[in-house]
Short mmCIF file of all heavy atoms in Angstrom, two decimals:
data_model
loop_
_atom_site.label_atom_id
_atom_site.label_comp_id
_atom_site.label_asym_id
_atom_site.label_seq_id
_atom_site.Cartn_x
_atom_site.Cartn_y
_atom_site.Cartn_z
N GLN A 129 -5.47 -2.51 12.98
CA GLN A 129 -4.40 -3.44 13.32
C GLN A 129 -3.12 -3.13 12.53
O GLN A 129 -2.02 -3.20 13.06
CB GLN A 129 -4.85 -4.88 13.01
CG GLN A 129 -6.20 -5.29 13.59
CD GLN A 129 -6.26 -5.18 15.10
OE1 GLN A 129 -5.49 -5.82 15.80
NE2 GLN A 129 -7.18 -4.37 15.59
N VAL A 130 -3.29 -2.77 11.25
CA VAL A 130 -2.13 -2.48 10.40
C VAL A 130 -1.30 -1.33 10.96
O VAL A 130 -0.07 -1.33 10.87
CB VAL A 130 -2.58 -2.17 8.96
CG1 VAL A 130 -1.40 -1.67 8.11
CG2 VAL A 130 -3.19 -3.41 8.30
N THR A 131 -1.98 -0.34 11.58
CA THR A 131 -1.24 0.81 12.10
C THR A 131 -0.24 0.40 13.19
O THR A 131 0.82 1.03 13.32
CB THR A 131 -2.20 1.87 12.68
OG1 THR A 131 -2.98 1.30 13.74
CG2 THR A 131 -3.13 2.40 11.61
N TYR A 132 -0.57 -0.64 13.95
CA TYR A 132 0.37 -1.10 14.97
C TYR A 132 1.65 -1.60 14.29
O TYR A 132 2.77 -1.29 14.72
CB TYR A 132 -0.22 -2.23 15.80
CG TYR A 132 -1.57 -1.99 16.39
CD1 TYR A 132 -2.45 -3.04 16.67
CD2 TYR A 132 -2.02 -0.70 16.68
CE1 TYR A 132 -3.70 -2.83 17.22
CE2 TYR A 132 -3.27 -0.47 17.24
CZ TYR A 132 -4.11 -1.55 17.50
OH TYR A 132 -5.35 -1.32 18.04
N ALA A 133 1.48 -2.40 13.26
CA ALA A 133 2.62 -2.98 12.56
C ALA A 133 3.48 -1.90 11.90
O ALA A 133 4.71 -1.98 11.91
CB ALA A 133 2.13 -3.98 11.51
N VAL A 134 2.83 -0.89 11.33
CA VAL A 134 3.57 0.20 10.69
C VAL A 134 4.46 0.91 11.71
O VAL A 134 5.63 1.21 11.44
CB VAL A 134 2.61 1.20 10.02
CG1 VAL A 134 3.37 2.44 9.54
CG2 VAL A 134 1.89 0.55 8.85
N SER A 135 3.91 1.16 12.89
CA SER A 135 4.70 1.83 13.94
C SER A 135 5.90 0.98 14.34
O SER A 135 7.01 1.51 14.53
CB SER A 135 3.82 2.09 15.17
OG SER A 135 2.80 3.02 14.87
N TYR A 136 5.69 -0.31 14.47
CA TYR A 136 6.80 -1.20 14.85
C TYR A 136 7.89 -1.16 13.78
O TYR A 136 9.10 -1.10 14.10
CB TYR A 136 6.29 -2.63 15.02
CG TYR A 136 5.78 -2.97 16.39
CD1 TYR A 136 4.90 -2.13 17.07
CD2 TYR A 136 6.18 -4.14 17.03
CE1 TYR A 136 4.44 -2.44 18.34
CE2 TYR A 136 5.73 -4.46 18.30
CZ TYR A 136 4.86 -3.62 18.95
OH TYR A 136 4.40 -3.94 20.21
N MET A 137 7.52 -1.20 12.52
CA MET A 137 8.50 -1.20 11.43
C MET A 137 9.24 0.13 11.36
O MET A 137 10.46 0.17 11.17
CB MET A 137 7.82 -1.51 10.10
CG MET A 137 7.34 -2.94 9.99
SD MET A 137 6.78 -3.43 8.33
CE MET A 137 5.20 -2.56 8.23
N MET A 138 8.51 1.21 11.54
CA MET A 138 9.09 2.54 11.46
C MET A 138 10.14 2.75 12.56
O MET A 138 11.23 3.28 12.31
CB MET A 138 7.98 3.57 11.59
CG MET A 138 8.40 5.01 11.44
SD MET A 138 6.95 6.09 11.49
CE MET A 138 6.28 5.71 13.13
N LEU A 139 9.82 2.32 13.77
CA LEU A 139 10.75 2.49 14.88
C LEU A 139 11.95 1.55 14.77
O LEU A 139 13.07 1.92 15.13
CB LEU A 139 10.03 2.28 16.22
CG LEU A 139 9.02 3.37 16.58
CD1 LEU A 139 8.25 3.00 17.83
CD2 LEU A 139 9.73 4.71 16.76
N THR A 140 11.71 0.35 14.26
CA THR A 140 12.83 -0.57 14.04
C THR A 140 13.77 -0.02 12.99
O THR A 140 15.00 -0.11 13.11
CB THR A 140 12.31 -1.96 13.61
OG1 THR A 140 11.48 -2.49 14.66
CG2 THR A 140 13.46 -2.92 13.35
N ALA A 141 13.20 0.59 11.95
CA ALA A 141 14.02 1.21 10.91
C ALA A 141 14.91 2.30 11.52
O ALA A 141 16.12 2.34 11.27
CB ALA A 141 13.13 1.80 9.82
N LYS A 142 14.32 3.14 12.34
CA LYS A 142 15.08 4.22 12.98
C LYS A 142 16.19 3.66 13.84
O LYS A 142 17.32 4.18 13.86
CB LYS A 142 14.14 5.09 13.82
CG LYS A 142 14.83 6.27 14.50
CD LYS A 142 15.43 7.23 13.48
CE LYS A 142 16.08 8.43 14.15
NZ LYS A 142 16.74 9.32 13.18
N ASP A 143 15.91 2.58 14.56
CA ASP A 143 16.91 1.95 15.42
C ASP A 143 18.08 1.42 14.60
O ASP A 143 19.21 1.34 15.10
CB ASP A 143 16.25 0.82 16.21
CG ASP A 143 17.15 0.28 17.31
OD1 ASP A 143 17.74 1.09 18.06
OD2 ASP A 143 17.27 -0.96 17.43
N LEU A 144 17.81 1.07 13.34
CA LEU A 144 18.85 0.54 12.45
C LEU A 144 19.53 1.65 11.65
O LEU A 144 20.36 1.37 10.79
CB LEU A 144 18.24 -0.49 11.50
CG LEU A 144 17.75 -1.79 12.15
CD1 LEU A 144 16.91 -2.59 11.15
CD2 LEU A 144 18.93 -2.62 12.64
N GLY A 145 19.12 2.91 11.90
CA GLY A 145 19.70 4.03 11.17
C GLY A 145 19.06 4.29 9.83
O GLY A 145 19.60 5.01 8.99
N VAL A 146 17.89 3.69 9.61
CA VAL A 146 17.18 3.85 8.35
C VAL A 146 16.04 4.85 8.53
O VAL A 146 15.24 4.73 9.47
CB VAL A 146 16.61 2.50 7.86
CG1 VAL A 146 15.80 2.69 6.58
CG2 VAL A 146 17.73 1.49 7.65
N ASP A 147 15.96 5.84 7.66
CA ASP A 147 14.91 6.85 7.75
C ASP A 147 13.67 6.39 6.98
O ASP A 147 13.73 5.51 6.12
CB ASP A 147 15.42 8.17 7.20
CG ASP A 147 16.57 8.72 8.02
OD1 ASP A 147 16.34 9.07 9.19
OD2 ASP A 147 17.71 8.77 7.50
N SER A 148 12.54 7.03 7.29
CA SER A 148 11.28 6.57 6.69
C SER A 148 10.26 7.69 6.61
O SER A 148 10.42 8.77 7.19
CB SER A 148 10.69 5.42 7.52
OG SER A 148 10.36 5.88 8.82
N CYS A 149 9.19 7.40 5.88
CA CYS A 149 8.05 8.32 5.82
C CYS A 149 6.80 7.49 5.54
O CYS A 149 6.80 6.63 4.65
CB CYS A 149 8.25 9.35 4.71
SG CYS A 149 6.93 10.59 4.65
N ILE A 150 5.76 7.74 6.31
CA ILE A 150 4.49 7.05 6.09
C ILE A 150 3.71 7.76 4.99
O ILE A 150 3.55 8.97 5.02
CB ILE A 150 3.65 7.02 7.38
CG1 ILE A 150 4.41 6.28 8.50
CG2 ILE A 150 2.30 6.36 7.14
CD1 ILE A 150 3.72 6.35 9.84
N ILE A 151 3.22 6.99 4.03
CA ILE A 151 2.44 7.54 2.93
C ILE A 151 0.97 7.19 3.16
O ILE A 151 0.57 6.03 3.10
CB ILE A 151 2.89 6.96 1.57
CG1 ILE A 151 4.41 7.12 1.40
CG2 ILE A 151 2.12 7.61 0.43
CD1 ILE A 151 4.88 8.55 1.38
N GLY A 152 0.17 8.23 3.42
CA GLY A 152 -1.24 7.99 3.72
C GLY A 152 -2.21 8.47 2.66
O GLY A 152 -3.30 7.94 2.51
N ALA A 153 -1.81 9.48 1.88
CA ALA A 153 -2.69 10.05 0.86
C ALA A 153 -2.62 9.19 -0.40
O ALA A 153 -1.86 9.48 -1.33
CB ALA A 153 -2.30 11.48 0.56
N ILE A 154 -3.38 8.11 -0.41
CA ILE A 154 -3.33 7.19 -1.54
C ILE A 154 -4.73 6.86 -2.04
O ILE A 154 -5.73 7.06 -1.34
CB ILE A 154 -2.62 5.87 -1.16
CG1 ILE A 154 -3.33 5.21 0.03
CG2 ILE A 154 -1.16 6.11 -0.85
CD1 ILE A 154 -2.76 3.87 0.40
N SER A 155 -4.78 6.36 -3.24
CA SER A 155 -6.04 5.90 -3.81
C SER A 155 -6.22 4.44 -3.42
O SER A 155 -5.31 3.62 -3.61
CB SER A 155 -6.02 6.02 -5.33
OG SER A 155 -5.72 7.34 -5.73
N ASN A 156 -7.38 4.12 -2.87
CA ASN A 156 -7.65 2.73 -2.52
C ASN A 156 -9.17 2.52 -2.35
O ASN A 156 -9.96 3.40 -2.67
CB ASN A 156 -6.90 2.32 -1.24
CG ASN A 156 -7.26 3.16 -0.03
OD1 ASN A 156 -8.28 3.85 -0.02
ND2 ASN A 156 -6.43 3.12 0.99
N GLU A 157 -9.53 1.39 -1.82
CA GLU A 157 -10.93 1.05 -1.63
C GLU A 157 -11.64 2.06 -0.73
O GLU A 157 -12.84 2.33 -0.89
CB GLU A 157 -11.03 -0.35 -1.01
CG GLU A 157 -12.43 -0.83 -0.73
CD GLU A 157 -12.45 -2.17 -0.01
OE1 GLU A 157 -11.52 -2.97 -0.24
OE2 GLU A 157 -13.39 -2.42 0.76
N ALA A 158 -10.90 2.64 0.21
CA ALA A 158 -11.52 3.58 1.15
C ALA A 158 -11.71 4.96 0.54
O ALA A 158 -12.74 5.60 0.75
CB ALA A 158 -10.67 3.67 2.41
N THR A 159 -10.73 5.45 -0.22
CA THR A 159 -10.81 6.80 -0.76
C THR A 159 -11.60 6.87 -2.07
O THR A 159 -12.08 7.93 -2.46
CB THR A 159 -9.41 7.38 -1.00
OG1 THR A 159 -8.70 6.54 -1.93
CG2 THR A 159 -8.63 7.47 0.29
N LYS A 160 -11.69 5.72 -2.78
CA LYS A 160 -12.47 5.64 -4.02
C LYS A 160 -11.99 6.62 -5.08
O LYS A 160 -12.77 7.21 -5.81
CB LYS A 160 -13.95 5.90 -3.73
CG LYS A 160 -14.58 4.96 -2.72
CD LYS A 160 -14.70 3.55 -3.23
CE LYS A 160 -15.45 2.67 -2.24
NZ LYS A 160 -15.55 1.28 -2.69
N VAL A 161 -10.68 6.82 -5.17
CA VAL A 161 -10.11 7.73 -6.15
C VAL A 161 -9.22 6.94 -7.13
O VAL A 161 -8.58 5.97 -6.74
CB VAL A 161 -9.26 8.82 -5.46
CG1 VAL A 161 -8.67 9.79 -6.47
CG2 VAL A 161 -10.11 9.58 -4.44
N LYS A 162 -9.20 7.35 -8.39
CA LYS A 162 -8.33 6.74 -9.40
C LYS A 162 -8.46 5.21 -9.45
O LYS A 162 -7.48 4.48 -9.27
CB LYS A 162 -6.86 7.11 -9.15
CG LYS A 162 -6.56 8.58 -9.27
CD LYS A 162 -5.07 8.83 -9.08
CE LYS A 162 -4.74 10.31 -9.21
NZ LYS A 162 -3.30 10.58 -9.00
N GLU A 163 -9.66 4.73 -9.68
CA GLU A 163 -9.88 3.29 -9.67
C GLU A 163 -9.06 2.57 -10.73
O GLU A 163 -8.69 1.40 -10.55
CB GLU A 163 -11.37 2.99 -9.83
CG GLU A 163 -12.19 3.42 -8.61
CD GLU A 163 -13.60 2.86 -8.63
OE1 GLU A 163 -13.90 2.06 -9.52
OE2 GLU A 163 -14.38 3.24 -7.75
N ASP A 164 -8.76 3.24 -11.85
CA ASP A 164 -7.95 2.59 -12.89
C ASP A 164 -6.54 2.31 -12.39
O ASP A 164 -5.96 1.25 -12.66
CB ASP A 164 -7.91 3.46 -14.15
CG ASP A 164 -7.38 4.87 -13.89
OD1 ASP A 164 -7.61 5.39 -12.79
OD2 ASP A 164 -6.74 5.44 -14.80
N ILE A 165 -5.97 3.26 -11.61
CA ILE A 165 -4.64 3.06 -11.04
C ILE A 165 -4.68 1.99 -9.96
O ILE A 165 -3.76 1.17 -9.85
CB ILE A 165 -4.07 4.38 -10.47
CG1 ILE A 165 -4.04 5.45 -11.54
CG2 ILE A 165 -2.68 4.15 -9.88
CD1 ILE A 165 -3.21 5.08 -12.76
N ILE A 166 -5.74 2.00 -9.16
CA ILE A 166 -5.89 0.99 -8.13
C ILE A 166 -5.86 -0.39 -8.76
O ILE A 166 -5.18 -1.31 -8.28
CB ILE A 166 -7.22 1.17 -7.35
CG1 ILE A 166 -7.21 2.49 -6.58
CG2 ILE A 166 -7.45 0.01 -6.39
CD1 ILE A 166 -8.54 2.84 -5.95
N ASN A 167 -6.57 -0.57 -9.84
CA ASN A 167 -6.62 -1.87 -10.53
C ASN A 167 -5.25 -2.26 -11.06
O ASN A 167 -4.85 -3.43 -10.98
CB ASN A 167 -7.64 -1.82 -11.67
CG ASN A 167 -9.07 -1.69 -11.17
OD1 ASN A 167 -9.39 -2.10 -10.06
ND2 ASN A 167 -9.94 -1.12 -11.99
N LYS A 168 -4.50 -1.28 -11.61
CA LYS A 168 -3.17 -1.57 -12.11
C LYS A 168 -2.23 -2.01 -10.99
O LYS A 168 -1.46 -2.96 -11.14
CB LYS A 168 -2.58 -0.33 -12.80
CG LYS A 168 -3.19 0.00 -14.15
CD LYS A 168 -2.50 1.22 -14.75
CE LYS A 168 -3.12 1.60 -16.09
NZ LYS A 168 -2.48 2.81 -16.68
N VAL A 169 -2.31 -1.29 -9.86
CA VAL A 169 -1.47 -1.63 -8.71
C VAL A 169 -1.84 -3.00 -8.16
O VAL A 169 -0.97 -3.82 -7.85
CB VAL A 169 -1.58 -0.55 -7.61
CG1 VAL A 169 -0.89 -1.02 -6.33
CG2 VAL A 169 -0.95 0.76 -8.08
N ASN A 170 -3.13 -3.24 -8.02
CA ASN A 170 -3.59 -4.54 -7.51
C ASN A 170 -3.08 -5.69 -8.37
O ASN A 170 -2.65 -6.74 -7.86
CB ASN A 170 -5.11 -4.58 -7.43
CG ASN A 170 -5.67 -3.72 -6.32
OD1 ASN A 170 -4.91 -3.21 -5.49
ND2 ASN A 170 -6.97 -3.54 -6.29
N GLU A 171 -3.11 -5.47 -9.68
CA GLU A 171 -2.63 -6.51 -10.60
C GLU A 171 -1.13 -6.68 -10.47
O GLU A 171 -0.62 -7.80 -10.43
CB GLU A 171 -3.01 -6.15 -12.04
CG GLU A 171 -2.62 -7.21 -13.06
CD GLU A 171 -3.07 -6.87 -14.47
OE1 GLU A 171 -3.77 -5.84 -14.65
OE2 GLU A 171 -2.71 -7.62 -15.39
N ARG A 172 -0.42 -5.57 -10.41
CA ARG A 172 1.05 -5.61 -10.31
C ARG A 172 1.49 -6.33 -9.02
O ARG A 172 2.45 -7.10 -9.02
CB ARG A 172 1.59 -4.18 -10.33
CG ARG A 172 3.05 -4.03 -9.97
CD ARG A 172 3.98 -4.51 -11.06
NE ARG A 172 3.92 -3.68 -12.25
CZ ARG A 172 4.98 -3.31 -12.96
NH1 ARG A 172 6.19 -3.70 -12.59
NH2 ARG A 172 4.86 -2.59 -14.05
N LEU A 173 0.78 -6.05 -7.92
CA LEU A 173 1.15 -6.63 -6.63
C LEU A 173 0.47 -7.96 -6.35
O LEU A 173 0.67 -8.57 -5.30
CB LEU A 173 0.81 -5.65 -5.51
CG LEU A 173 1.53 -4.29 -5.55
CD1 LEU A 173 1.05 -3.40 -4.42
CD2 LEU A 173 3.04 -4.46 -5.52
N ASN A 174 -0.37 -8.39 -7.29
CA ASN A 174 -1.08 -9.66 -7.17
C ASN A 174 -2.03 -9.68 -5.96
O ASN A 174 -2.17 -10.68 -5.26
CB ASN A 174 -0.09 -10.83 -7.06
CG ASN A 174 -0.74 -12.18 -7.33
OD1 ASN A 174 -1.70 -12.27 -8.09
ND2 ASN A 174 -0.24 -13.23 -6.69
N LEU A 175 -2.68 -8.53 -5.72
CA LEU A 175 -3.64 -8.45 -4.62
C LEU A 175 -4.94 -9.13 -5.03
O LEU A 175 -5.40 -9.00 -6.17
CB LEU A 175 -3.92 -7.00 -4.25
CG LEU A 175 -2.74 -6.16 -3.77
CD1 LEU A 175 -3.23 -4.84 -3.20
CD2 LEU A 175 -1.91 -6.91 -2.74
#
Side-chain angles (χ1 to χ4, degrees):
Q129 309 301 301
V130 172
T131 59
Y132 309 153
V134 172
S135 294
Y136 272 48
M137 290 190 287
M138 184 176 60
L139 290 174
T140 299
K142 182 62 178 177
D143 190 46
L144 293 168
V146 177
D147 296 294
S148 64
C149 184
I150 299 173
I151 307 298
I154 58 175
S155 304
N156 60 17
E157 179 185 330
T159 60
K160 303 292 185 181
V161 180
K162 297 183 179 179
E163 292 192 6
D164 57 328
I165 302 302
I166 295 172
N167 292 333
K168 287 182 182 179
V169 170
N170 288 351
E171 183 177 355
R172 169 74 67 139
L173 299 178
N174 197 30
L175 299 190

